[in-house]
Amino acid sequence: TTSVYMNPEYNYDNGKTTPNWFSATHNLSVKVKKIDGVNTILDKVASVSDVQIQGVSYDLGDKEKVYTEARKLALEKARQKADEIAKVTGVSIKKVQSVSESGTPNITPMYQNYKAMDMAGSNMWGGTALAPGELEYTVSMNVTYELN
């Protein structure tokens, strides 16, 4: 459960307000660990009366491994660029002065193609057709080097 709301609904008649009923909304989040079979799950949930599916999102269960690898690659690229600049300018890199990570991680679902993106909801043949794709995780690293 992510949230529960109960709100009174009123009848307004000739300047008089009388409570009619309560409207209740229960929002929940469902995690499915394997994409195989998720179409069937969504179809069954959607068939329940008065249930609305607000959206589907993709994420990784253990993102820290991905971020660790992304940081490592970012630092390697930073060193490579620093070495190239040092060579062109005739200086040498002595040591790393500081390292920081900036911004918030960017997590963007990348669909395999535009047709797959269009089919992320119900398709014209009935039933749900989720498009598997890939997630892109971005890490920004700032490295300052001491030069000789």
Side-chain angles (χ1 to χ4, degrees):
T1 297
T2 57
S3 60
V4 176
Y5 302 100
M6 286 192 67
N7 299 308
E9 298 289 333
Y10 295 98
N11 186 19
Y12 300 99
D13 190 24
N14 293 327
K16 188 176 179 182
T17 304
T18 26
N20 251 0
W21 65 84
F22 279 88
S23 171
T25 303
H26 181 185
N27 295 316
L28 61 105
S29 175
V30 177
K31 289 184 182 182
V32 179
K33 295 190 179 199
K34 293 184 180 182
I35 200 164
D36 295 339
V38 74
N39 296 342
T40 304
I41 293 169
L42 286 172
D43 286 341
K44 287 184 180 188
V45 170
S47 72
V48 176
S49 177
D50 296 328
V51 169
Q52 295 178 358
I53 298 173
Q54 296 297 323
V56 175
S57 61
Y58 300 96
D59 203 358
L60 284 177
D62 184 7
K63 292 181 280 290
E64 197 51 43
K65 288 180 186 176
V66 173
Y67 287 127
T68 299
E69 183 63 23
R71 285 182 196 101
K72 178 183 171 197
L73 292 171
L75 291 171
E76 288 171 0
K77 272 190 160 186
R79 180 59 192 231
Q80 181 182 31
K81 285 183 180 183
D83 287 339
E84 290 172 8
I85 293 169
K87 183 178 179 181
V88 170
T89 58
V91 297
S92 61
I93 296 172
K94 187 173 179 182
K95 65 179 181 175
V96 173
Q97 285 290 100
S98 67
V99 177
S100 65
E101 187 173 350
S102 64
T104 53
N106 178 27
I107 305 167
T108 308
M110 303 296 288
Y111 295 95
Q112 290 177 344
N113 56 44
Y114 289 109
K115 182 175 170 102
M117 187 169 56
D118 290 340
M119 294 178 64
S122 291
N123 65 28
M124 59 192 275
W125 299 282
T128 304
L130 281 184
E134 59 187 53
L135 294 173
E136 181 178 294
Y137 291 82
T138 304
V139 174
S140 296
M141 302 295 294
N142 299 307
V143 183
T144 303
Y145 295 97
E146 182 179 330
L147 303 175
N148 270 344

